Amino acid sequence: MRRSRKVKILATLGPASSDEAMIRRLFEAGADVFRINMSHTDHPSMQELVRRIRSVEKEVGRPIGILADLQGPKLRVGKFADKSVALEVGQTFTLDDDPTPGDATRVHLPHPEILASVQAGHRLLIDDGKLQLLAEEADGKSIICRVVAGTKISDKKGVSLPDTDLPVGALTEKDRLDLDAVLTTGVDWIALSFIQRPEDLAEARKVARGRALLMSKIEKPQAVTRLAEIIELSDALMVARGDLGVEMPIEAVPGIQKQITRAARRAGKPVVVATQMLESMIEAPVPTRAEVSDVSIAVFEGADAIMLSAESAAGKYPVEAVSMMNKIAERVERDPTYSGIINAQRSEPEATGADAISLASRQIAETLKLAAIVTYTASGTTGLRAARERPQVPIIALSPVVETARRLSLVWGTHCVVTPDAADLDDMVNRACRIAHSEAFGSPGDRVIVTAGVPLRTPGATNMLRIAYIGSDGLRGL
């Protein structure tokens, strides 16, 4: 099954979409990668979801990617004697280290790292910003705040700290246990929540040891400030607009989305745009016009993937949501302005052989109107460099490594096929032409361009480019 679009669709699994039949329906509707949210999934359930996805993968004969999304540090206030209290704008309210149930003047904050880090002038946003506090005094044991906006606070509400750099890593003890568990199942991508600095990736990378690739979720102002460093150490990025829109002015999020998307494209790292893309489809069978425009903007920007969260995990119309996202993406990519916008955002290639070959293959393929670019890739690097060019023609990524094909299922424009490694150059060309024909990318007489590294099976050595005709029998190249 080949897609009629280049942007990929990432669908979150949950109560509405956890059985094998539904997972297959979501794949057939357009989902390329499935996300498992470890905030709401225990280890036995996660293992069963992975098993079901792999079963569907075997049935459909296409590599399917799996993303495990770690919860990250969840910062919450303590409990109140009456479960909730009413506040007034302008009043004083204190967060402290006293475990006594809270009242209208104070509440316990069971996070000593916050008490030690917040300074006067820092903002504290409670319950996704519904309550906004401004720190006026802080001594390491308590934070005396003034209520700026909002009139209510209740038990265990989340705390966001847009102005405070916390001296804690991105992995909690729960995350460490979850990371060990998901790695044993062979998931392809690990999403790290609430990244603040490049160092936050170090522990996860040490544990993963290449068994899965790391995706940094950009959802804090500190991460935006150090974006270039985080990109360098990440395998992919996610524009996590939900928390980003809480910790930063909501009107700044669209511009930040564009900054992140373009920076990731320049670096040749996949980028996912996520959160509330078709939010109304949790309850309704069709989205709003504004949501359609929102999805379209991400596709026009050249994002590698667009993601559904609650729409597919807990909504009433999970299949319809995936199908709608698929239709929007296909229509955008057929729009006469699409290629011009994508081309205008293209970056200069880096001074490497792989980038030079990728640039040349795109230019040749578009000039000669070839049927496809066929790239051999063992590690996935050659496929990523080909996708960085955002060619108008399809990219067929051939790999003998199934894990590589699954990881590339997240990457823009790549149609991944698992195939044994070529024996020699002639076999490489014949195999490329045969697969381009069998996967319905070309007909006998059509031409494809083949890129690979010679000697074969040498990682990162992309140095060969060849144009070949698909033979009259569709089985060999000329």
Side-chain angles (χ1 to χ4, degrees), residues 96-119:
D96 58 36
D97 61 0
D98 180 359
T100 305
D103 55 30
T105 64
R106 58 155 297 277
V107 72
H108 181 219
L109 184 62
H111 300 286
E113 67 274 18
I114 298 180
L115 296 172
S117 302
V118 170
Q119 300 175 16

Side-chain angles (χ1 to χ4, degrees), residues 133-144:
L133 307 177
L134 181 67
E136 295 187 327
E137 298 178 37
D139 60 9
K141 293 185 177 181
S142 65
I143 307 168
I144 300 175

Side-chain angles (χ1 to χ4, degrees), residues 128 217-220 238-258 260-261 271-279 290-299 301 303 305-309 311 325:
D128 290 338
K217 295 170 66 177
I218 307 301
E219 49 196 334
K220 292 186 72 67
M238 180 188 293
V239 188
R241 304 181 305 177
D243 283 289
L244 194 59
V246 171
E247 301 223 2
M248 301 191 74
I250 197 166
E251 66 272 16
V253 173
I256 293 170
Q257 175 177 317
K258 288 183 179 293
I260 297 171
T261 301
V271 58
V272 179
V273 176
T275 318
Q276 296 182 333
M277 301 209 80
L278 296 176
E279 184 84 354
E291 288 167 341
V292 173
S293 293
D294 181 42
V295 174
S296 300
I297 288 168
V299 180
E301 286 173 1
I306 43 183
M307 191 177 98
L308 295 168
S309 298
E311 302 96 326
M325 187 167 268

Side-chain angles (χ1 to χ4, degrees), residues 340-353:
I341 294 172
I342 291 294
N343 292 342
Q345 298 173 9
R346 185 174 289 125
S347 301
E348 290 296 316
E350 296 179 7
T352 66

Side-chain angles (χ1 to χ4, degrees), residues 140-164:
K141 293 185 177 181
S142 65
I143 307 168
I144 300 175
C145 304
R146 178 167 48 85
V147 177
V148 176
T151 59
K152 182 181 178 181
I153 183 171
S154 55
D155 291 350
K156 295 289 186 179
K157 290 302 182 184
V159 182
S160 298
L161 303 157
D163 305 321
T164 308

